[in-house]
Amino acid sequence: KDEEKLNRDLCKAGSQVFYWDARHAWALGVVQGDDGKVFTVKGTRCNATEVEALGTVKVKDDKIWPARDDVLDEDVRDLLDLTVLHDSTIQRCLYLRYMKDMVYTNIGQIVVALNPWNFKIPWYTDDNMHRYLAEGETIKENVPHSWAQAHN
């Protein structure tokens, strides 16, 4: 398969990758080896992640994805603007935004909302609604929010 070849070429020993972990979904790790059938990956603790380092696991080629250093911590308001659009990079971006109390993220005309369990995030309080209404039909200046979707 082309995808298998791609993964083998980009996921060499020492490479940082995303790999599928049943407990954490797409986790960050480093390739320890590749026997031609499965990758051996050691989970790593990432500075933006509070999850402790994961163990060493065997991962099939359809459960691994290269993690590019230049876009690893990419934070975009619209997921369609991600440099690499993959489940792992979408999850990573949503996580990074959530940790910054940015619980709304657009995917084109759709807004993804993650429950912050916090009703006092400054830029999401009701007294900011007038800013969204003042922008007119297209919200460009304010952060993504369900108000913008309702207004548009």
Side-chain angles (χ1 to χ4, degrees):
K1 291 196 270 185
D2 289 339
E3 184 177 304
E4 181 179 323
K5 182 172 177 5
L6 171 73
N7 283 343
R8 298 247 178 266
D9 289 344
L10 296 177
C11 300
K12 297 180 188 294
S15 299
Q16 188 165 250
V17 294
F18 290 106
Y19 68 98
W20 184 256
D21 177 83
R23 294 173 300 156
H24 304 287
W26 289 99
L28 201 56
V30 175
V31 175
Q32 303 294 302
D34 174 11
D35 68 7
K37 294 181 182 175
V38 295
F39 294 92
T40 303
V41 179
K42 179 167 179 31
T44 59
R45 180 184 170 114
C46 182
N47 60 357
T49 305
E50 295 303 319
V51 176
E52 289 299 320
L54 304 170
T56 301
V57 295
K58 301 285 186 184
V59 182
K60 293 184 179 179
D61 55 16
D62 64 339
K63 301 293 185 190
I64 193 168
W65 190 260
R68 289 179 35 192
D69 285 335
D70 60 327
V71 295
L72 185 61
D73 292 329
E74 196 169 29
D75 178 356
V76 295
R77 291 181 175 192
D78 189 328
L79 295 174
L80 296 178
D81 293 332
L82 284 169
T83 303
V84 177
L85 192 58
H86 182 264
D87 295 351
S88 60
T89 57
I90 291 171
Q91 176 189 308
R92 174 94 176 149
C93 182
L94 289 173
Y95 174 81
L96 293 172
R97 291 179 59 75
Y98 182 84
M99 296 308 288
K100 296 175 187 173
D101 284 333
M102 303 298 287
V103 297
Y104 295 99
T105 305
N106 290 332
I107 305 176
Q109 295 297 316
I110 300 168
V111 66
V112 175
L114 302 176
N115 191 338
W117 302 103
N118 175 358
F119 298 101
K120 298 190 189 239
I121 299 173
W123 41 90
Y124 296 136
T125 57
D126 288 345
D127 58 337
N128 285 312
M129 187 184 299
H130 72 280
R131 293 181 181 163
Y132 290 85
L133 296 173
E135 277 200 58
E137 287 188 28
T138 305
I139 305 299
K140 293 182 180 179
E141 298 300 319
N142 287 295
V143 296
H145 194 286
S146 56
W147 293 331
Q149 298 308 105
H151 182 62
N152 288 341

